[in-house]
Amino acid sequence: MLAGLLLCGSLVMALSPQHGAAARPKPAPELAPQTLEAAPGAQLPLYVSRDWSRPLPDIERAVIVVHGHARNASEYFSVGLAAQAAAGDVGRATLIVAPQFIDQLDVDTFGVPANILRYSPEGWEGGDAALGPVPVSSFTALDAVLARLADHSRFPNLKTVVLAGHSGGAQVVQRYAIVGRGAAQLAQAGIALRFVVANPSSYAYFSAERPVPSIAASCPRYDDWKYGMQHLPPYAAGRSPVSLEQDYVAAHVVYLLGTRDNDPEHPVLDRSCMGRAQGADRWSRGHAYLAAMRLRDHGAPHHVLHEVAGVGHDARGMLTSVCGLAALFDRPGCD
């Protein structure tokens, strides 16, 4: 333990050189009060809406909400609870989980115990290994969350798990949907897994083509992971881009794009050349990515894109919208 898919204002996030802006880094607003062992000697902080140390036979759905660059898991947990309340009856049989990937600034600010995982400020978004206490990938940490949910003795009636993220969290979810190993654990338990990717700054492509080839041509790292399939992370060792694409195409992925998340100068938009090669803004990058996937040999038959009208870069607005509730809870009304 630690001490201590329509509307709400934008979340305040610390910026980094990748995003092309300068700002004083900020610690997370607070640290999650619970932990889960991701590996021996390594604990992942998180929020959970119920006591999952005991059997929960009434739980039929779990929604995991991954925070953005600000590591504000408490706010994303609140968004998950708000979506659960808006979902009505189906929400009452749902468990909400919000993991937290902290960095060294959070460790220094809050005096974090030595066994708590901590990552570089952006490394967790692409599955990098933790800086301490052991080099556990952020994707391995998500594997541990899914393994807990796949435990039939704890969740005998769980039918669906939704892994959702917004902004930086959506980058995590989209990459995990490609390389993550947790889907196999859930499938063995007869549990369906869905990925909800809302307003990320960038995507991992399976080919070298990009929507803005002139920028890609002048950007040596544009096709490196986490933007492409070159130099895959150690977590994906032994996997080929071909097999990864096959698994991704077979996955159920919902892309949510806010129609007002179209500012090419947004303060936390990835404005590196790797990001700009994918398009001018988050809205155009999302449309371009799915269009590219649909042109691949196997298309993207299980991938759908929904626009959330009138919403910008706003996690609560996206995930509590009509289409957000459809993606998270199968609520009707999203065409």
Side-chain angles (χ1 to χ4, degrees), residues 60 78 97-98 105 126 134 159 203 215 227 245 253 260 270 272 283 307 329:
E60 299 179 0
S78 174
V97 183
L105 179 58
V134 293
K159 299 177 177 65
Y203 301 79
I215 294 179
Y227 302 91
E245 183 174 4
V253 183
R260 294 183 61 186
D270 182 346
S272 68
W283 182 87
E307 291 190 336
F329 296 100

Side-chain angles (χ1 to χ4, degrees), residues 2 6 12 21 25 32 38 46 59 70 108 113 120 125 157 201 231 238 248 250 254 308 312 318 334:
L2 289 176
L6 269 155
V12 178
L46 42 65
I59 293 297
D108 296 339
S120 66
E125 294 179 358
N157 296 306
S201 270
H231 307 297
Y248 188 61
V254 180
V308 180
M318 294 297 294
C334 181

Side-chain angles (χ1 to χ4, degrees), residues 143-254:
D143 288 341
V145 175
L146 296 185
R148 170 64 68 97
L149 295 172
D151 183 347
H152 189 72
S153 68
R154 298 177 189 269
F155 299 98
N157 296 306
L158 186 64
K159 299 177 177 65
T160 303
V161 171
V162 181
L163 179 58
H166 177 264
S167 192
Q171 293 189 54
V172 176
V173 171
Q174 197 263 332
R175 276 72 174 189
Y176 187 82
I178 293 173
V179 301
R181 297 188 284 258
Q185 302 174 79
L186 293 174
Q188 291 175 0
I191 300 168
L193 176 61
R194 178 184 312 161
F195 301 95
V196 178
V197 178
N199 290 340
S201 270
S202 67
Y203 301 79
Y205 273 75
F206 291 98
S207 74
E209 288 75 31
R210 291 296 184 275
V212 190
S214 60
I215 294 179
S218 62
C219 184
R221 296 177 50 213
Y222 83 95
D223 202 32
D224 286 357
W225 183 265
K226 61 183 181 176
Y227 302 91
M229 292 295 114
Q230 302 302 312
H231 307 297
L232 291 168
Y235 176 91
R239 301 289 306 278
S240 70
V242 172
S243 68
L244 292 174
E245 183 174 4
Q246 289 173 344
D247 287 350
Y248 188 61
V249 167
H252 184 182
V253 183
V254 180

Side-chain angles (χ1 to χ4, degrees), residues 280-334:
D281 54 66
R282 294 185 187 88
W283 182 87
S284 61
R285 291 176 190 182
H287 278 280
Y289 183 76
L290 186 54
M293 286 300 301
R294 286 172 172 163
L295 291 174
R296 302 284 293 164
D297 289 345
H298 300 288
H302 306 295
H303 296 194
V304 297
L305 186 153
H306 295 301
E307 291 190 336
V308 180
V311 174
H313 201 63
D314 174 359
R316 188 176 298 266
M318 294 297 294
L319 297 180
T320 62
S321 68
V322 171
C323 287
L325 295 177
L328 299 180
F329 296 100
D330 294 302
R331 291 276 295 176
C334 181

Side-chain angles (χ1 to χ4, degrees), residues 95-112:
L95 182 77
I96 305 296
V97 183
Q100 187 173 33
F101 299 98
I102 67 170
D103 69 11
Q104 189 60 44
L105 179 58
D106 304 320
V107 172
D108 296 339
T109 300
F110 294 104
V112 174

